[in-house]
Amino acid sequence: MPEGPELHLASLYVNKMCAGVVFTGPVRKSEVSKSPDVPFTCEAYRITAASRGKEVKLTLTPMKSDDSKKRVKAGQADQPMEIVFRFGMSGYFRFTTEDELPKHAHLRFYSKEEPCRVLSYVDARRFGSWQPDGKWQPDRGPCIMFEYESFREKIVSHLSDRAFDKPICEVLLNQKYFNGIGNYLRAEILFRLNIPPFVPARTVLEGLQSEDVFENKKPLKNEITDTKTSGGAKQKQGEGEMGDLLRLCHTVPLEVVNLGGKGYDPQKADYSDFQAWLQCYYVDGMTSIRDHNGRTMWFKGDPGPMAPKDSKAPKAKKRAKKEDDHDYTEKKKVARSRSVSTSKRNVVKRETVTKTPKKEKDARTKEAVSKRRMTEKSREVKTPQHEKRSIARRKKNSSAEPTTGPQRRSERATRQNSK
């Protein structure tokens, strides 16, 4: 899931690819998207981007004509529009030719050139969203990376809030205070400080000051490099000075930005540097359990006193390759239909078994036999003995005598004469 560093890298990507590019026409939305239409049409405009925590804002700025007397045509925008994006679980931007348009491009901006190029917002799972004429969400706190002083001050001044009664790993995902922190960042930050994930957040944060006491408050872009300890574990230069969780909430995301992107440039999609950077998240030898919100927490050692009871580690899943990340094609449909048909067959089998179990069949058979025997006995009691003998005699004679022909007629005549 994209976190603060990825959204900032997305904004850098847009600014780099769209520098000097003129866009034109309406902003087009895919038919399947449920997000709102973007009512913006302009003959010539430019696009710039900025990020704040887990949000990205695109600004569409109409270009002024050299002819001051020329009026803007009806329906054409003459004022900038801001569109705020939230990426959900799989959102990102791509800049391609029109022929190479990604399958899940749900919002598209077309350039004014030949051949035409398109800036697309791509989201296979469609959990992301955008808001025309949008503003930064007021409920989100200051950005952990680029509003560090405000972020730190807000945390320290609100420690009495009930939100800090929860475990520290869950509070780190609260965007009201930690705008930009996500699942992998919380694991990496707590692992470096050797903090159990399920300890009360207030206990971890109490004693921290609203102002950071370390001298250099600037982003540690060129000062943080990897070294190896004698035990082979990774360690960061200056780690002995980094005992402050709020400081790591600021510096660890900047390390990801300095890697050059977790897939940005998305055209290259090289994740090797990012995977080598990870020390805890999805790393062999680490433990994972689900927190109280169902999110997977990676850690090492004791989880802490507030760990969920009977919590189990989720089943390990193989990481999907980049080319399969957005594959919702016929392959998955066929697999899904096969699984559905198999489950239906299993249900039919279960139903047939439950309808006529063997024990119930045997019981019914025994009951029917006993009823038949009782009926026969009652008939025997009601029928006199001589009647039974005459019936038996008649049956015997009838079986012996012929049913048709002259012999049967002569026998009848003989019996009548004897009488």
Side-chain angles (χ1 to χ4, degrees), residues 82-99:
E82 294 179 337
I83 310 171
V84 176
F85 290 80
R86 299 170 192 97
F87 281 10
M89 293 187 69
S90 58
Y92 62 96
F93 287 112
R94 286 288 304 273
F95 192 57
T96 64
T97 63
E98 192 172 10
D99 294 336

Side-chain angles (χ1 to χ4, degrees), residues 167-173 183 186 197-198 288-299 306-309 311-314:
I168 184 61
C169 67
E170 296 177 12
V171 175
L172 284 173
L173 296 184
N183 217 22
R186 68 170 177 173
F198 293 96
S288 67
I289 61 174
R290 297 191 188 279
D291 63 18
H292 294 90
N293 299 316
R295 302 290 301 277
T296 304
M297 179 67 213
W298 291 83
F299 63 97
M306 299 180 74
K309 295 180 180 179
S311 58
K312 295 181 180 179

Side-chain angles (χ1 to χ4, degrees), residues 115-127:
C116 176
R117 291 185 292 172
V118 187
L119 175 68
S120 304
Y121 170 69
V122 186
D123 188 2
R125 299 184 183 182
R126 283 186 270 164
F127 290 164

